């Protein structure tokens, strides 16, 4: 009796939000989401749009920000700042200058590549092996080691950079690229994520492969790796973006600024050749945005898997 | 509708049960499986383990030692003296306080706002995948690239002040005043909400549908359903997002450094600035005691979060 009553009242309540009301609610929510989406996208779009301005246009629009207060500058810089969505005249002159006339930026871009790519490749290689071990092994020792990995993973750079600096000093690789690459390779982040995914591989599959006479190495290469393909891809994207963004490590581990990656160097051109800054910024975005474009679904899947530390 | 839902759930539990049995069987015959597994899994672990030991664990132990001696040459044991010095250091205090204020304001906001975004995308509005893409996009844009636009917006003569002037608000020097913290909270949220949202979206998808449906039939309102049911299932994810945001909140140094350089306004002087400046004159005692102090605080906070989550989500897990 009572149950049926509550059911009816529930129905009534649902009924009170009529189809019309629901439609209006959906409309409001959609508009809200669209506004939020615009805020999220705008800075990126603006950077790209501004990269197609000529140097003089950028100077006129943003000169006040980047110009240092030098007396007797040649160009007139207006106090006002005009944020523009569409350049007055689309010009590729900035890109032309960056690519063909000032090799400095390309060198720094290359510095970024040469630091990040080895880290991504070798971190994945080391981590997929370790993750496989964590997925297969049992027992107290394995749990303790895994716990240590998680603790290391949770530490911010402010903590881990001190040990890294110390080791680099011992090994004599301070102020070389190795000081960044080697600790990067052994960072446990990828191990953690991949082992969570590998643990989902059904044990029966491995058992069956064994019955068919497959060795451990074969199981790893022919069963485990193919099953983790999308996970590997998403971990690669996550590691790449993190190191593509690096600021802390080069500042501390490299004293030779010619080795700096573009992520640090970009802030130093702001004051000088501001016309070029937007073009360089856009070029620097291209690799990560391309990855995002092609790998968004993998990325989302990988992020979703990473949920839950306890796993 | 309900019936349709139930069947796959049943099948699922069956699979899980058989898996559990297998797991048990495996545990029972531990020695044998270990033998047939051979040394291969151990070999797999070796490269990573050696690397982690060399680059993180061993130097960390050495740093603990360094933090307790007076200097690297004399090596006289002073126990906690370095820690007392570092706590008394005004620069360290300022940096720690700024970082703490930032984390305390940005982490809760990041958790709540990303949960709201996830719920927004969960209510079957159109263009969900496009919205998801645009919320996730900032994560993939390098900080260095987008910093230019932030400068244009938050500069004293910038776009934001221009806009606010329309409402009669006085000009604020966003990056060179106490308002600096507000700016970096905004930048932090802009970058990190998307990632957190994805975590919440997948957690929302994993809440068993029939529990919610039963609650609806029993006449539970939307608020009851959210606070009493959904939130409990979400609690492990809330923990994870909190920890993740906490870790990421330490990375806001990137934005601050690229916007304001080595010596920012007082309210933006973060722990990483302190570390950078200490690295410049390589004071191992200062560095190591600061690093270990931070490590202890991190472990304490995360441990406390784990305990809190365990209490809150007890009855829904497993």
């Amino acid at each position: 009796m009572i149950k049926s009553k509550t059911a009816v009242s529930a129905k009534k309540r649902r009924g009170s939000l009529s189809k019309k009301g629901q439609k209006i609610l959906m409309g409001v929510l959609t508009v809200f989401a669209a506004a939020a989406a615009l805020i999220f996208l705008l800075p990126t779009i603006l950077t790209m749009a501004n990269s197609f301005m000529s140097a003089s246009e950028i100077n006129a629009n943003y000169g006040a920000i980047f110009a240092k207060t030098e007396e007797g500058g040649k160009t007139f810089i207006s106090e006002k700042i005009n944020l523009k969505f569409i350049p007055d005249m689309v010009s590729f002159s900035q890109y032309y200058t960056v690519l063909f006339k000032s090799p400095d930026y390309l060198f720094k871009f290359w510095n970024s590549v040469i630091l990040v790519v080895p880290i991504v490749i070798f971190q994945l290689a080391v981590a997929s092996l370790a993750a496989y071990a964590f997925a297969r092994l049992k027992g107290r020792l394995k749990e303790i080691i895994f716990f240590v990995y998680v603790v290391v993973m949770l530490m911010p750079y402010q903590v881990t950079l001190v040990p890294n600096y110390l080791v680099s000093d011992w090994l004599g690789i301070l102020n070389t690229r190795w000081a960044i690459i080697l600790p990067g390779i052994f960072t446990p982040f990828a191990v953690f994520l991949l082992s969570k995914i590998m643990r989902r591989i059904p044990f029966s599959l491995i058992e069956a492969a064994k019955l068919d006479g497959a060795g451990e190495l074969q199981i790893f290469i022919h069963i485990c790796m193919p099953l983790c393909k999308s996970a590997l891809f998403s971990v690669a994207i996550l590691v790449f973006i993190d190191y593509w963004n690096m600021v802390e490590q080069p500042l501390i581990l490299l004293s030779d600024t010619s080795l700096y990656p573009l992520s640090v160097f970009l802030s130093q051109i702001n004051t000088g050749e501001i016309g070029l800054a937007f073009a360089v910024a856009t070029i620097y975005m291209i690799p990560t945005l391309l990855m995002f474009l092609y790998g968004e679904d993998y990325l989302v899947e990988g992020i979703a898997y990473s949920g839950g530390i306890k796993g | 509708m309900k019936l349709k839902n139930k069947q796959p759930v049943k099948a699922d539990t069956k699979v899980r049960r058989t898996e559990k049995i297998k797991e048990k069987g495996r545990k029972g015959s531990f020695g044998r499986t270990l033998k047939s597994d051979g040394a291969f899994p151990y070999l797999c672990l070796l490269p990573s383990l050696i690397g982690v030991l060399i680059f993180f664990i061993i130097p960390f132990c050495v740093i603990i030692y360094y933090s307790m001696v007076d200097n690297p040459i004399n090596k006289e044991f002073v126990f906690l003296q370095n820690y007392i010095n570092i706590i008394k250091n005004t620069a360290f205090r300022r940096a720690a306080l700024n970082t703490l204020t930032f984390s305390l304001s940005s982490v809760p906001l990041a958790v709540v706002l990303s949960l709201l975004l996830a719920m927004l995308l969960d209510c079957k509005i159109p263009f969900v995948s496009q919205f998801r893409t645009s919320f996730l996009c900032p994560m993939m844009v390098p900080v260095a690239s987008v910093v230019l636009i932030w400068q244009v917006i938050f500069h004293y003569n910038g776009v934001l002040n221009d806009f606010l002037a329309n409402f009669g608000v006085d000009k604020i020097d966003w990056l060179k005043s106490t308002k600096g913290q507000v700016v970096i909270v905004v930048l932090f949220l802009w970058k990190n909400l998307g990632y957190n949202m994805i975590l919440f979206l997948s957690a929302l998808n994993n809440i068993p549908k029939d529990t919610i449906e039963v609650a609806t039939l029993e006449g539970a309102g939307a608020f009851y359903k959210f606070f009493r049911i959904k939130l409990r299932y979400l609690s492990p994810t809330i923990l994870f997002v909190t920890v993740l945001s906490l870790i990421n909140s330490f990375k806001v140094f990137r934005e601050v450094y690229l916007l304001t350089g080595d010596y920012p306004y007082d309210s933006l002087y973060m722990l990483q600035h302190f570390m950078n400046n200490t690295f410049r004159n390589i004071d191992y005692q200062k560095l190591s005691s600061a690093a270990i102090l931070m490590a202890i605080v991190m472990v304490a906070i995360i441990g406390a979060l784990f305990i809190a989550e365990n209490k809150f989500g007890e009855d829904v897990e497993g």
Side-chain angles (χ1 to χ4, degrees):
Chain A
M1 254 305 268
I2 299 165
K3 250 191 184 170
S4 66
K5 245 186 194 172
T6 48
V8 168
S9 71
K11 253 183 198 167
K12 256 187 198 167
R13 197 172 298 162
R14 226 192 251 162
S16 71
L17 252 179
S18 61
K19 265 188 184 168
K20 212 177 172 187
Q22 215 147 24
K23 254 188 184 168
I24 293 172
L25 185 71
M26 279 296 147
V28 171
L29 288 177
T30 313
V31 169
F32 188 75
L38 199 65
I39 294 173
F40 276 88
L41 285 180
L42 216 52
T44 317
I45 294 171
L46 280 172
T47 309
M48 288 180 187
N50 281 317
S51 69
F52 293 110
M53 285 180 189
S54 63
S56 56
E57 202 182 338
I58 289 179
N59 267 316
N61 288 336
Y62 309 120
I65 296 175
F66 304 111
K68 287 196 168 159
T69 47
E70 293 166 282
E71 301 267 339
K74 273 180 198 164
T75 47
F76 169 74
I77 293 165
S78 71
E79 272 282 293
K80 197 108 165 125
I81 287 158
N82 295 308
L83 184 63
K84 281 203 174 166
F85 290 79
I86 302 160
D88 288 340
M89 214 177 70
V90 174
S91 123
F92 292 92
S93 61
Q94 305 306 328
Y95 287 103
Y96 179 77
T97 318
V98 171
L99 292 178
F100 301 109
K101 281 188 179 163
S102 43
D104 219 18
Y105 305 113
L106 288 184
F107 276 133
K108 296 296 190 279
F109 189 88
W110 176 243
N111 277 347
S112 288
V113 173
I114 214 172
L115 283 172
V116 177
V117 171
I119 290 178
V120 174
I121 291 174
F122 288 105
Q123 190 179 1
L124 279 186
V126 170
S128 50
L129 281 168
Y132 180 72
F134 278 124
R136 295 296 312 273
L137 293 173
K138 293 261 178 259
R140 195 103 196 109
L141 186 66
K142 169 227 148 184
E143 272 167 30
I144 293 170
I145 296 175
F146 193 69
F147 178 75
V148 171
Y149 271 56
V150 171
V151 171
V152 172
M153 186 184 79
L154 293 175
M155 287 300 140
Y157 286 121
Q158 286 86 323
V159 175
T160 55
L161 272 175
V162 184
N164 289 347
Y165 185 90
L166 205 61
V167 177
S168 304
D169 200 14
W170 291 341
L171 299 178
I173 53 173
L174 215 56
N175 199 21
T176 67
R177 294 197 176 98
W178 294 109
I180 293 177
I181 294 174
L182 287 176
I185 289 172
F186 297 108
T187 299
F189 171 72
V191 179
F192 169 76
L193 237 169
L194 285 174
S195 74
K196 287 188 78 127
I197 291 156
M198 284 190 193
R199 235 176 278 159
R200 292 178 177 226
I201 295 174
F203 189 62
S204 53
L205 217 59
I206 293 170
E207 206 77 311
K210 258 191 202 162
L211 285 178
D212 289 343
E216 284 282 344
L217 190 66
Q218 277 171 312
I219 292 174
F220 176 72
I221 293 172
H222 294 297
I223 295 177
C224 210
M225 283 293 105
L227 282 172
C228 292
K229 228 183 206 166
S230 66
L232 283 169
F233 197 55
S234 79
V235 175
I237 297 178
L238 287 172
V239 174
F240 185 91
I241 182 68
D242 195 33
Y243 281 95
W244 199 244
N245 253 331
M246 71 175 129
V247 174
E248 295 92 341
Q249 300 97 317
L251 284 180
I252 285 172
L253 300 171
L254 302 176
S255 50
D256 183 359
T257 48
S258 70
L259 292 176
Y260 274 11
L262 198 54
S263 51
V264 180
F265 189 68
L266 204 56
S267 71
Q268 291 163 3
I269 34 173
N270 291 351
T271 44
E273 304 151 290
I274 56 162
L276 297 180
F278 285 104
V280 180
T282 307
I283 291 175
Y284 201 52
M285 283 184 208
I286 290 172
T288 55
L289 287 183
L290 279 181
M291 279 183 185
F292 185 52
L293 221 59
Y294 286 105
E296 193 195 341
D297 291 331
Y298 293 117
L299 184 70
V300 168
E301 201 182 319
I303 295 173
Y305 270 133
S306 73
I309 300 180
K310 297 190 226 166
Chain B
M1 180 60 200
K2 220 185 143 197
L3 268 176
K4 257 188 203 164
N5 255 348
K6 234 179 184 173
Q7 249 167 347
V9 169
K10 240 185 190 170
D12 195 44
T13 49
K14 220 177 196 178
V15 170
R16 223 178 270 161
R17 206 172 294 152
T18 48
E19 254 173 37
K20 252 186 194 164
I21 291 167
K22 259 184 201 156
E23 197 98 323
K24 258 187 193 164
R26 201 184 165 205
K27 252 182 200 162
S29 56
F30 181 62
R32 255 174 62 207
T33 36
L34 201 67
K35 221 178 196 176
S36 62
D37 275 3
F40 185 71
Y42 290 99
L43 277 177
C44 286
L45 189 56
L46 216 54
S48 166
L49 192 62
I50 291 173
V52 170
L53 279 175
I54 292 179
F55 286 97
F56 297 96
I57 307 298
I58 294 172
F60 194 77
C61 295
V62 174
I63 279 167
I64 295 178
Y65 169 70
Y66 273 170
S67 75
M68 294 192 184
V69 297
D70 64 343
N71 64 56
I73 304 150
N74 209 6
K75 288 180 182 154
E76 196 186 319
F77 190 72
V78 292
F79 196 43
L80 293 179
Q81 192 52 46
N82 289 319
Y83 292 94
I84 295 168
N85 289 346
I86 196 85
I87 290 172
K88 279 184 182 162
N89 185 311
T90 45
F92 179 78
R93 275 191 181 183
R94 159 141 313 132
L97 189 71
N98 284 338
T99 307
L100 192 73
T101 329
F102 172 73
S103 299
L104 280 183
S105 46
S106 63
V107 172
L109 274 173
V111 175
V112 172
L113 290 178
S114 55
L115 180 55
L116 285 177
L117 276 187
M119 281 160 59
L120 184 66
L121 293 196
D122 201 36
C123 23
K124 298 188 179 79
I125 54 171
F127 308 116
V128 166
S129 74
Q130 280 84 351
F131 285 140
R132 190 188 72 178
T133 307
S134 42
F135 294 154
L136 206 54
C137 180
M139 179 195 143
M140 297 302 288
V141 179
V143 182
S145 295
V146 86
V147 144
L148 295 164
I149 288 297
W150 297 137
Q151 272 171 330
V152 171
I153 292 174
F154 292 109
H155 190 263
Y156 186 64
N157 292 318
V159 177
L160 184 63
N161 275 342
D162 258 12
F163 175 75
L164 289 176
N166 295 333
F167 304 96
V169 180
D170 279 339
K171 272 188 173 183
I172 300 166
D173 204 346
W174 289 99
L175 291 170
K176 288 177 196 136
S177 71
T178 44
K179 299 283 192 305
Q181 286 261 350
V182 180
V183 175
I184 55 171
V185 169
V186 171
L187 302 195
F188 173 79
L189 293 175
W190 181 79
K191 193 165 186 56
N192 290 291
L193 283 185
Y195 193 107
N196 295 350
M197 179 196 71
I198 299 293
L199 289 169
F200 277 129
L201 266 178
S202 85
L204 282 170
N205 273 331
N206 286 336
I207 296 176
K209 296 268 183 311
D210 32 352
T211 315
I212 300 288
E213 254 174 44
V214 168
T216 315
L217 282 177
E218 296 272 334
F223 279 99
Y224 183 90
K225 268 190 282 183
F226 177 72
F227 283 104
R228 287 299 175 85
I229 302 171
K230 286 191 183 174
L231 219 49
R232 291 218 150 178
Y233 278 100
L234 288 178
S235 76
T237 313
I238 293 175
L239 171 81
F240 187 67
V241 171
T242 309
V243 172
L244 196 78
S245 303
L246 187 70
I247 299 167
N248 284 335
S249 76
F250 285 90
K251 288 185 185 164
V252 87
F253 167 77
R254 292 171 177 178
E255 273 93 343
V256 181
Y257 178 81
L258 296 177
L259 276 172
T260 62
D262 271 322
Y263 299 99
Y265 187 80
D266 264 4
S267 67
L268 290 178
Y269 187 79
M270 309 306 266
L271 276 170
Q272 185 69 44
H273 284 106
F274 174 79
M275 295 305 264
N276 281 357
N277 296 342
T278 318
F279 263 113
R280 227 161 270 155
N281 29 353
I282 315 182
D283 183 340
Y284 271 126
Q285 272 56 52
K286 230 183 190 178
L287 281 173
S288 47
S289 46
I292 285 163
L293 210 59
M294 277 186 255
I296 291 170
V297 171
M298 278 305 271
V299 169
I301 293 174
I302 291 168
L305 284 171
F306 262 99
I307 292 167
E309 197 275 324
N310 263 342
K311 282 228 163 112
F312 185 70
E314 236 167 3
D315 37 333
V316 284
E317 269 174 71

